[in-house]
Amino acid sequence: MKIMVRPREIDDSDWITEVLLENWASNIIVTRGISYEADLLPGFVAEVEGVRVGLLTYTISNDELEIVTLNAFDEGKGVGTALLGELEKLAKMKNCSRIWLITTNDNVDALRFYQKRGYEIKSVHRYAIEESRKIKPQLPFVGKYGIPIRDEIEMEKSL
Ligand SMILES: CC(C)(COP(=O)(O)OP(=O)(O)OC[C@H]1O[C@@H](n2cnc3c(N)ncnc32)[C@H](O)[C@@H]1OP(=O)(O)O)[C@@H](O)C(=O)NCCC(=O)NCCS
């Protein structure tokens, strides 16, 4: 399976909005109390034989790159790794000092995925999701594996 990764293009816009609605309940993503219209952010699209199979969106502020969303639709086949690889190349090209992201305490798959790829837990912002819910009421109370969603876990990789 050959996975191609490319920057998002104008033609991807409708698809990106759909992906965000389906996977994150909204185009609005809240991290550390800041809300992003993730459909307007730069990003990378992964494709297999011309079919879109993954999406990563990010934002760069000062010299720090934040991964805002990452989704692979057919998990365990290397799509997430391929998207992360392209992003890391970009971050180095832009001389970023670190890549960071927020995940939630229920997302043990993401904790595994990122840690195995060199990302470390920087901070645990306990009960931060209560604040995020004020901005994004669609955030569910129960997440993966039936785990209550409470904390924001900040992960980072220094470059
Ligand atoms: C987290 C997430 C992005 C990972 O993406 P993914 O495409 O499943 O990740 P990969 O396939 O690259 O890697 C996952 C595992 O599959 C294995 N794998 C990679 N290529 C493979 C292949 N061709 N065949 C079988 N397994 C493979 C990898 O070795 C990896 O195992 P490891 O973690 O033990 O090293 C994905 O699970 C996802 O979309 N989750 C839901 C959304 C989410 O939580 N996003 C992150 C929060 S921002």
Side-chain angles (χ1 to χ4, degrees):
M1 188 169 96
K2 176 108 176 85
I3 302 164
M4 308 285 292
V5 176
R6 59 169 177 80
R8 65 167 285 181
E9 291 164 5
I10 292 182
D11 282 356
D12 296 311
S13 299
D14 290 347
W15 174 78
I16 289 173
T17 305
E18 255 172 61
V19 168
L20 295 169
L21 285 176
E22 267 173 36
N23 293 279
W24 305 104
S26 166
N27 63 323
I28 304 290
I29 303 290
V30 183
T31 66
R32 306 299 306 117
I34 294 174
S35 53
Y36 296 99
E37 290 177 87
D39 50 331
L40 304 180
L41 293 177
F44 288 103
V45 174
E47 287 184 341
V48 173
E49 292 174 359
V51 176
R52 291 175 282 211
V53 293
L55 171 70
L56 184 155
T57 65
Y58 65 90
T59 182
I60 298 179
S61 176
N62 300 318
D63 64 344
E64 302 192 348
L65 189 155
E66 178 183 358
I67 298 172
V68 177
T69 65
L70 172 60
N71 289 97
F73 306 125
D74 203 359
E75 294 182 25
K77 297 205 171 137
V79 171
T81 303
L83 283 162
L84 205 55
E86 279 310 304
L87 184 85
E88 290 183 2
K89 275 192 219 160
L90 176 91
K92 282 178 191 153
M93 214 170 69
K94 291 194 174 285
N95 291 319
C96 292
S97 62
R98 71 166 187 147
I99 299 176
W100 69 283
L101 62 110
I102 292 290
T103 189
T104 44
N105 61 290
D106 62 305
N107 201 345
V108 291
D109 296 329
L111 287 171
R112 167 191 162 149
F113 173 79
Y114 285 117
Q115 287 187 92
K116 288 194 78 170
R117 284 155 187 81
Y119 290 71
E120 295 179 7
I121 294 175
K122 165 97 186 315
S123 318
V124 178
H125 306 282
R126 297 190 68 206
Y127 297 99
I129 299 302
E130 283 175 16
E131 288 306 307
S132 304
R133 274 201 193 92
K134 291 180 188 159
I135 304 169
K136 181 173 171 178
Q138 302 96 316
L139 278 173
F141 285 87
V142 178
K144 298 202 180 192
Y145 307 106
I147 302 172
I149 307 179
R150 274 192 292 256
D151 312 314
E152 286 189 350
I153 298 179
E154 183 175 335
M155 306 190 77
E156 74 169 10
K157 187 178 200 171
S158 297
L159 298 176

